[in-house]
Amino acid sequence: MTLPIDPLDTRDAGPRSSGAMAWFAVVILCAAQIVSTIDRGILALVVDPVRADLGISDLQIALLQGFAFSVFYVTVGLPLGVAADMTNRRRLLVCGIIVWSFATIGGGLAQNFGQMFVSRLLVGVGEAVLGPCAVTIISDLFPPAGRGRPMAIYVFGSMIAYGIGALVSGLILQVAPRGAFSDIPLLATLAPWRIAFVLVGGFGFAIAGLLLLLREPPRSGDGGNATDKIRFRENLHFLVHHKGIFLPLYGALAAFAAGNSIATGWGAVLLSRSFGFTIGAAGKSIGSSLVLWAVAGALVASVLVDRVARRGGSAGKVKLAALLALLAIPSTLAVLAPDGSGAVILLGEIMFASAIYGTTMLSVVAEITPPRMRGLSIALYAFVMTMIGASIGPIAVATMTERVFRDANAVGWSMAIVGIATLCLSALLALAAARRLRAVRDHGGTMATLFTTVA
């Protein structure tokens, strides 16, 4: 069987929604991304209180930050990506949001490492469901040449989410000891970090309600032919057949995620251990920095990505990703800052690079895979970034801090070493993928000459 794949041909130009409703969908999906990222990242903002309350180590914290998500992906994450290609994405996403919201609240009530691990595992539903559903919906609402801006808005949600989460958590941690929640029955008896978990977990239910206002858009490239529905084995064959592109591409994503998770996962800890910040002050300071850098990055991405696409196509965008990986390195060097303010600025810089990087690479993955397997390709995107990147980054930093330096206050140096190594690797792998994509353009003129697989 032949799978004719050309992301720029008319098969990818199916029915599109237009006007306000398409952009309304993008805004809601952006809001869902914000809530998902806050729920996932809140643990990084309260590491030391959680360690003290549950009696766990830095290495166990690292397992909660990344490995718990990996376990979920290994079991059901990829099948959920396939489901996004086959089922009603809006309904699937609503169910995912409800599950991860309850799981976040459960984390705030956890009494030991095992209970927290289960909570973090279920929060992984957010990563497993949201990406495949949201990216494929956006791809069906906008033509290839016009996806840069809506994709930038969607990615912008994850970028500002870390900052918003840090600001909200920092505020809660500061006002909770003063009795701000003493009149609320459930919250009155909880520690401040637990209150933060419960409150941010509740945000998701509002987003689930808004998603019910949307309609499922027609799938581009489907044509209504039942025999043209997703075939997992053939799509896997497609990825394997073109491993020269997809291995370095997904490898670059994983390595970048590892570098990204270093700043976002350990930044607040560095501020409190090395620069004397209280937990609340660290959250508010780094939150403000992350939001400002994310806004700047999203503004640049909304213009730059489409411009690079017009000049260099997919290969040009992957080259841009290589440059962005190197641009993210300063965020892992906050230990070298002369004072706390300088460290806050450096830690926030990761969001500038990440806002452009996410927009760039999500659009590339959507372009170089057929419409009927985009859910799977985006699930793989999230899989490698979470299972490999977001797991290896925090664990490598914790292991180096505990086993090599044997000093909790050396976390900044662990961040620097692991960060430089992973981000340089990401740049090299991205350049390798770009060369293969460029060869397609040079030899065939279109993506169709490469993306034809005989199963």
Side-chain angles (χ1 to χ4, degrees):
M1 175 172 289
T2 300
L3 298 177
I5 312 298
D6 182 357
L8 301 181
D9 71 10
T10 57
R11 275 184 290 272
D12 196 32
R16 309 283 178 186
S17 298
S18 60
M21 286 306 297
W23 287 104
F24 178 63
V26 172
V27 171
I28 294 179
L29 292 172
C30 175
Q33 179 73 283
I34 292 174
V35 173
S36 171
T37 307
I38 290 176
D39 285 0
R40 176 182 172 178
I42 186 172
L43 179 61
L45 304 171
V46 291
V47 166
D48 285 337
V50 172
R51 286 177 69 243
D53 203 343
L54 301 185
I56 59 180
S57 67
D58 273 354
L59 185 55
Q60 287 176 305
I61 286 289
L63 292 174
L64 292 173
Q65 287 183 340
F67 183 72
F69 295 90
S70 304
V71 172
F72 183 85
Y73 274 114
V74 168
T75 53
V76 297
L78 292 180
L80 282 174
V82 176
D85 287 322
M86 301 175 64
T87 63
N88 185 293
R89 293 163 290 188
R90 183 195 61 148
R91 294 173 185 169
L92 182 62
L93 185 51
V94 168
C95 292
I97 291 176
I98 291 173
V99 170
W100 90 57
S101 297
F102 273 121
T104 302
I105 294 173
L109 305 177
Q111 298 300 310
N112 53 52
F113 175 78
Q115 292 177 6
M116 181 64 83
F117 188 91
V118 172
S119 165
R120 304 305 293 169
L121 183 150
L122 292 176
V123 171
V125 173
E127 294 292 325
V129 173
L130 179 57
C133 290
V135 173
T136 58
I137 287 173
I138 292 173
S139 296
D140 287 337
L141 290 174
F142 297 88
R147 289 177 188 150
R149 189 161 297 174
M151 203 71 76
I153 293 174
Y154 169 70
V155 173
F156 177 66
S158 66
M159 300 301 104
I160 64 170
Y162 286 106
I164 293 175
L167 285 169
V168 171
S169 301
L171 179 62
I172 293 172
L173 292 171
Q174 285 189 330
V175 302
R178 303 171 189 168
F181 304 99
S182 58
D183 295 330
I184 303 176
L186 174 63
L187 301 182
T189 60
L190 298 179
W193 72 266
R194 295 181 182 276
I195 294 174
F197 268 72
V198 172
L199 291 180
V200 300
F203 295 160
F205 299 112
I207 303 300
L210 289 175
L211 279 168
L212 295 176
L213 301 176
L214 299 179
R215 292 182 178 180
E216 176 78 1
R219 295 179 186 268
S220 61
D222 193 340
N225 186 344
T227 64
D228 197 37
K229 296 296 183 181
I230 189 72
R231 297 176 177 90
F232 180 77
R233 186 183 66 178
E234 293 164 359
N235 289 334
L236 186 62
H237 184 114
F238 167 78
L239 294 173
V240 172
H241 185 79
H242 302 300
K243 60 183 178 295
I245 290 175
F246 286 103
L247 279 179
L249 183 71
Y250 282 119
L253 288 168
F256 185 86
N260 182 304
S261 67
I262 290 167
T264 57
W266 292 102
V269 176
L270 173 68
L271 292 179
S272 63
R273 293 183 186 177
S274 300
F275 293 95
F277 283 66
T278 65
I279 295 296
K284 292 176 66 176
S285 297
I286 198 172
S288 300
S289 180
L290 290 171
V291 169
L292 291 174
W293 278 109
V295 170
L299 291 174
V300 173
S302 66
V303 177
L304 179 63
V305 175
D306 283 340
R307 182 171 297 179
V308 171
R310 288 192 293 269
R311 294 183 178 181
S314 298
K317 288 196 283 189
V318 178
K319 282 187 176 180
L320 173 62
L323 177 62
L324 291 168
L326 298 178
L327 186 63
I329 288 177
S331 68
T332 68
L333 303 177
V335 68
L336 301 177
D339 52 33
S341 297
V344 167
I345 293 172
L346 286 177
L347 289 168
E349 186 264 348
I350 187 65
M351 284 303 134
F352 178 81
S354 295
I356 309 172
Y357 189 94
T359 303
T360 301
M361 293 299 259
L362 277 173
S363 62
V364 167
V365 171
E367 288 167 6
I368 66 175
T369 52
R372 61 190 173 192
M373 65 172 289
R374 283 190 184 132
L376 174 61
S377 65
I378 298 301
L380 283 171
Y381 176 106
F383 177 82
V384 299
M385 294 192 80
T386 301
M387 179 179 178
I388 302 174
S391 295
I392 287 179
I395 290 174
V397 171
T399 301
M400 184 166 290
T401 302
E402 290 188 353
R403 306 290 174 82
V404 178
F405 290 110
R406 300 181 182 275
D407 180 4
N409 292 322
V411 64
W413 294 108
S414 301
M415 292 169 63
I417 294 170
V418 177
I420 292 173
T422 54
L423 291 171
C424 286
L425 176 61
S426 178
L428 291 173
L429 290 171
L431 289 175
R435 282 196 295 270
R436 295 301 296 266
L437 287 169
R438 178 67 66 183
V440 176
R441 181 172 181 175
D442 291 344
H443 290 90
T446 67
M447 298 296 289
T449 58
L450 179 66
F451 297 115
T452 301
T453 302
V454 178

